[in-house]
Amino acid sequence: MEPKLSPQDISVKSSVKLASKKKAKWKSVLTYAAFVGPAILFFTIVQLVPFFMGLYYSFTSWNGVSSTAEWVGFANYLKIFTNDKDFLNSFLFTTKFMLAAVVISNLIGFSLALLLNAALKSKNILRTVYFIPNVIGGLLLGFIWQFIFVKGFAAVGAATDIAFFKLPWLGDETTAFWGIVIVFAWQISGYMMVIYIAALQGVDPSLLEAAKIDGASSWMMLRKIIIPLILPAFTICFFLTISMAFKIFDLNLSLTGGGPFNSTQSVAINIYNEAFQYNRYGLGTAKSFIFFLIVAVFTTLQVVLTKRKEVQA
């Protein structure tokens, strides 16, 4: 038989257990803090603090230089919605560009993924080649393609007399728009291809073999089996391309600079000019917050809709 403990011994034993639990809990908290703490600290300094500072300045008429900022309330936001046609035009251009770029980039990326998921001897080399444009910086890529559009196409057009190469690619509103779309799709399609390839490799081959035995055509297998199974990859790729296309800046800046006559000016360039060229920092930050909300709404709707399709599939 175990000796009967006195109330004092029971109290001491309970205190020791409680202290041990508290010590283990604090050890666990400190362990998590050691790993997560630095990331939270840097995220707060780099993201949250500038975000709330920008929110404050959007209600002022600060020029970005002076030590004082005059509080103007919602005047900046009212001016944007009532008397700023340039911002509206840049938003319409960016939306049109986003729609074209998302469709073309994902179509090319998915097509390349289907091609390079097959048993080709050179598929690894081709994957690298198609992904390389994504590694090149947007400014550098823009200047390279600016040379191609202005000098390269002109030389090919003069030599072959093909009308396509004689077009004023960066000098006309329509061709400049499609020029930016082409370069953006060329840059980002390889990245989308990698995501689609990863999804395709997760498809069970036995399902495709069973469908072949049952007489399903390649198009039917693609539409009824492959696409429904990799819908999560479409969700990711659509989200990435929508956000990237909306936020296009460096590529647009180096290719056309927003020209001709601001016809290809993206929202990001409009905000940059407002804040840093015209020294209307308060108005620029107000535009950036409106833009932030618009992008958040677009991407959220896209994720919700595509996630719903995943569930249905």
Side-chain angles (χ1 to χ4, degrees):
M1 287 182 65
E2 293 183 4
K4 193 173 182 181
L5 297 175
S6 64
Q8 186 177 2
D9 292 337
I10 293 172
S11 177
V12 170
K13 196 172 182 181
S14 299
S15 299
V16 171
K17 282 184 178 179
L18 186 62
S20 178
K21 285 182 180 179
K22 283 185 177 179
K23 187 177 179 181
K25 184 179 178 181
W26 275 108
K27 186 177 179 181
S28 176
V29 170
L30 290 173
T31 302
Y32 283 122
F35 285 100
V36 181
I40 294 175
L41 177 64
F42 283 110
F43 178 78
T44 302
I45 294 171
V46 176
Q47 296 284 347
L48 294 182
V49 172
F51 180 86
F52 287 109
M53 286 179 66
L55 182 60
Y56 165 75
Y57 285 124
S58 70
F59 294 101
T60 68
S61 63
W62 189 43
N63 61 8
V65 179
S66 63
S67 57
T68 58
E70 182 186 353
W71 182 267
V72 295
F74 288 94
N76 289 329
Y77 293 94
L78 290 173
K79 184 177 180 181
I80 292 168
F81 287 112
T82 58
N83 192 27
D84 198 332
K85 290 183 179 179
D86 286 341
F87 182 73
L88 177 61
N89 291 334
S90 65
F91 175 72
L92 291 174
F93 163 78
T94 307
T95 304
K96 187 171 69 169
F97 168 79
M98 180 272 296
L99 294 172
V102 167
V103 172
I104 294 172
S105 298
N106 282 281
L107 188 61
I108 294 173
F110 184 60
S111 301
L112 291 174
L114 288 174
L115 177 66
L116 299 181
N117 193 50
L120 298 174
K121 290 184 179 180
S122 58
K123 64 181 180 180
N124 292 328
I125 297 172
L126 291 174
R127 287 175 186 176
T128 305
V129 169
Y130 290 133
F131 185 76
I132 284 175
N134 187 68
V135 180
I136 305 172
L139 278 173
L140 180 60
L141 197 65
F143 286 125
I144 291 171
W145 272 90
Q146 187 186 65
F147 176 81
I148 292 171
F149 281 132
V150 175
K151 301 292 184 181
F153 278 20
V156 174
T160 61
D161 201 32
I162 298 175
F164 176 83
F165 294 105
K166 290 185 173 183
L167 293 172
W169 277 99
L170 302 181
D172 179 73
E173 179 181 348
T174 304
T175 53
F177 169 80
W178 287 109
I180 299 171
V181 172
I182 289 168
V183 179
F184 180 86
W186 185 78
Q187 180 189 27
I188 210 69
S189 294
Y191 187 33
M192 299 303 108
M193 175 198 71
V194 171
I195 298 173
Y196 285 127
I197 286 175
L200 288 171
Q201 289 179 345
V203 176
D204 189 354
S206 62
L207 293 174
L208 302 178
E209 290 174 8
K212 279 183 183 179
I213 293 170
D214 289 339
S217 64
S218 299
W219 169 247
M220 189 175 290
M221 286 191 292
L222 177 65
R223 195 163 56 92
K224 297 292 186 180
I225 300 175
I226 296 174
I227 291 179
L229 288 176
I230 65 167
L231 277 178
F234 282 97
T235 301
I236 296 168
C237 290
F238 286 160
F239 175 82
L240 290 174
T241 47
I242 287 172
S243 59
M244 289 176 183
F246 259 126
K247 296 184 293 184
I248 185 173
F249 175 76
D250 48 1
L251 199 63
N252 190 194
L253 183 67
S254 56
L255 268 175
T256 64
F261 307 108
N262 292 334
S263 61
T264 62
Q265 186 184 79
S266 66
V267 175
I269 290 181
N270 182 272
I271 293 170
Y272 173 83
N273 290 338
E274 196 71 67
F276 300 108
Q277 298 247 335
Y278 309 140
N279 292 328
R280 294 194 287 258
Y281 197 89
L283 188 59
T285 51
K287 288 183 177 183
S288 69
F289 272 95
I290 293 172
F291 186 46
F292 164 76
L293 292 174
I294 291 169
V295 175
V297 169
F298 266 89
T299 51
T300 303
L301 285 174
Q302 174 264 313
V303 170
V304 169
L305 291 173
T306 49
K307 279 288 182 183
R308 192 176 298 167
K309 289 289 183 182
E310 289 177 29
V311 174
Q312 289 175 358

